[in-house]
Amino acid sequence: MSFFRKLKESISGKTESVTKQFRDGLEKTRKGFVEKVADLIIRRKKIDEEFYEELEEILIGADVGVNTVMKLVEDLRAEVKQKRIEDAAELQPILSRMLMELLRGDDDNTLKENPDGITVILFVGVNGVGKTTTIGKLAHRYKQEGKKVLLAAGDTFRAGAIEQLEVWGQRAGVDVIKQQAGSDPAAVMFDAVQAAKQRNVDILICDTAGRLQNKSNLMEELNKIFRVIQREIPSAPHEVLMVLDATTGQNALTQAKLFGEKSGVTGLVLTKLDGTAKGGIVVAIRQEMNLPVKFVGLGEKMEDLQPFDSQQFVHALFAGLISEEEETEEQA
């Protein structure tokens, strides 16, 4: 059975609405990346040095990351040599399989929950990446599952951050614990944990400051928040999710490295994938950070925050080729 057919079968048991969300959300990346690869294969046919060079350019252009691209092309060359492949068209399923292997990783990307009480999820990330929006969408998701959710407005420094979180809280039908703008974020967290205990909350989602004067201030602030939360719930936080804006490409990777190493990040959320042709950044981040991508943002709607799924991701990218293969088989 061909790779594309196996891929289609592997996602056939998953809900059609989620498959559609991935397909729609990755349309720009599909056009900017997969269609360029398909075009290269039609134009060149022959696998020579120029073919590999152009393939490298396309992959780097999609922000797959230079180191990852070099390794990918090296592996591709080895397979071409070993299997004595001469027709470039045979490379598409091989490339798709390699991308899926790069994305898969060993990590379990489900969110860890506290079996003995309140689950605390802390969100970090610089301003403007979609952190508050992601918190609102995740709160909605948990609410749909029947969980009791509370939000903590710990980003007390950014103008409008508290109000923005309140708007999302209202949309999701979830309360927000807050103090005045400029107040101590750790004090907000203390209030939020007390409120969560009194109200028998299942999930407490905490927003944190996106940027303080410098990085060491930010880390001190986060450490203080950790201490306050852990005093009340020793196993918390159960997840520290870093939000990255996929449209910033390599910049998102730099942020993840700077931030992620020091702040105890346990997973990543990539937002705005629907707004970029550089969705290859997911591959780069997956390869260069030893962190799982837990969620991806595929659009504006509440439901468009989806758990990351490497099969859905690759299927969405290569959806056009899968249809073509089926048509060819039908004609034959």
Side-chain angles (χ1 to χ4, degrees):
M1 191 190 291
S2 77
F3 172 79
F4 288 140
R5 179 163 283 194
K6 272 190 201 151
L7 182 59
K8 189 172 184 188
E9 285 195 1
S10 70
I11 65 153
S12 63
K14 299 175 185 179
T15 56
E16 181 52 42
S17 62
V18 173
T19 300
K20 188 178 184 310
Q21 275 168 314
F22 270 89
R23 219 170 33 232
D24 293 350
L26 290 166
E27 189 181 349
K28 285 189 179 173
T29 297
R30 186 163 59 245
K31 287 185 171 155
F33 165 41
V34 178
E35 289 183 11
K36 282 185 179 170
V37 173
D39 175 60
L40 167 67
I41 285 168
I42 291 162
R43 273 189 298 106
R44 287 220 171 267
K45 291 189 175 65
K46 191 164 162 264
I47 306 169
D48 54 15
E49 211 46 51
E50 283 176 3
F51 175 89
Y52 286 122
E53 275 174 25
E54 208 171 322
L55 181 62
E56 277 175 15
E57 272 173 39
I58 293 167
L59 290 163
I60 290 168
D63 261 341
V64 174
V66 178
N67 299 343
T68 309
V69 171
M70 294 306 169
K71 167 114 185 46
L72 196 65
V73 172
E74 199 180 299
D75 291 349
L76 201 60
R77 283 174 186 267
E79 195 142 345
V80 165
K81 210 172 202 174
Q82 189 199 339
K83 292 184 176 168
R84 297 185 175 158
I85 298 167
E86 288 176 13
D87 182 1
E90 289 178 47
L91 294 185
Q92 278 181 331
I94 296 169
L95 187 61
S96 320
R97 190 195 73 232
M98 286 177 171
L99 282 170
M100 198 154 82
E101 282 163 5
L102 291 175
L103 283 165
R104 208 172 251 155
D106 310 321
D107 310 275
D108 174 12
N109 64 354
T110 51
L111 292 185
K112 289 178 196 71
E113 291 185 16
N114 182 4
D116 308 312
I118 303 160
T119 296
V120 181
I121 300 171
L122 210 61
F123 271 84
V124 299
V126 302
N127 295 337
V129 293
K131 188 157 48 88
T132 315
T133 307
T134 302
I135 291 170
K137 288 177 178 179
L138 186 62
H140 169 75
R141 191 179 182 87
Y142 275 125
K143 191 98 191 291
Q144 296 297 98
E145 290 173 10
K147 300 260 172 53
K148 196 167 181 192
V149 186
L150 189 64
L151 304 181
D155 188 355
T156 57
F157 299 103
R158 179 168 68 87
I162 298 168
E163 292 78 1
Q164 196 189 351
L165 193 66
E166 282 186 296
V167 169
W168 276 102
Q170 283 162 5
R171 280 185 200 164
V174 168
D175 288 343
V176 178
I177 301 297
K178 59 170 188 172
Q179 288 189 11
Q180 298 299 108
S183 55
D184 180 3
V188 178
M189 296 307 166
F190 178 79
D191 287 356
V193 172
Q194 298 308 320
K197 285 181 169 178
Q198 284 158 13
R199 300 180 196 188
N200 289 323
V201 159
D202 299 306
I203 312 279
L204 172 63
I205 305 176
C206 309
D207 194 7
T208 65
R211 190 172 284 140
L212 291 172
Q213 290 69 21
N214 61 40
K215 206 164 113 226
S216 62
N217 281 9
L218 184 55
M219 294 312 159
E220 274 167 37
E221 196 60 68
L222 285 171
N223 285 334
K224 197 169 158 192
I225 286 170
F226 269 83
R227 285 198 299 276
V228 166
I229 293 171
Q230 279 164 354
R231 237 188 346 251
E232 302 300 315
I233 304 170
S235 64
H238 304 94
E239 289 280 3
V240 180
L241 299 180
M242 181 174 184
V243 183
L244 299 166
D245 177 350
T247 63
T248 62
Q250 290 296 312
N251 194 18
L253 182 59
T254 309
Q255 271 172 34
K257 285 179 175 171
L258 274 173
F259 224 108
E261 287 162 1
K262 304 258 175 19
S263 55
V265 171
T266 56
L268 304 170
V269 180
L270 268 161
T271 61
K272 310 180 196 177
L273 264 175
D274 56 310
T276 180
K278 294 174 177 279
I281 191 63
V282 181
V283 184
I285 284 171
R286 196 62 216 81
Q287 283 303 293
E288 298 201 29
M289 298 289 300
N290 200 15
L291 287 168
V293 176
K294 299 258 181 176
F295 280 91
V296 284
L298 299 164
E300 302 291 318
K301 296 194 291 294
M302 277 281 204
E303 295 74 29
D304 287 335
L305 180 73
Q306 285 293 333
F308 179 67
D309 180 329
S310 58
Q311 288 178 334
Q312 288 278 26
F313 188 88
V314 175
H315 178 268
L317 284 186
F318 292 93
L321 299 179
I322 293 167
S323 306
E324 273 174 35
E325 187 180 89
E326 283 173 348
E327 277 170 30
T328 311
E329 282 176 6
E330 274 169 26
Q331 285 161 7

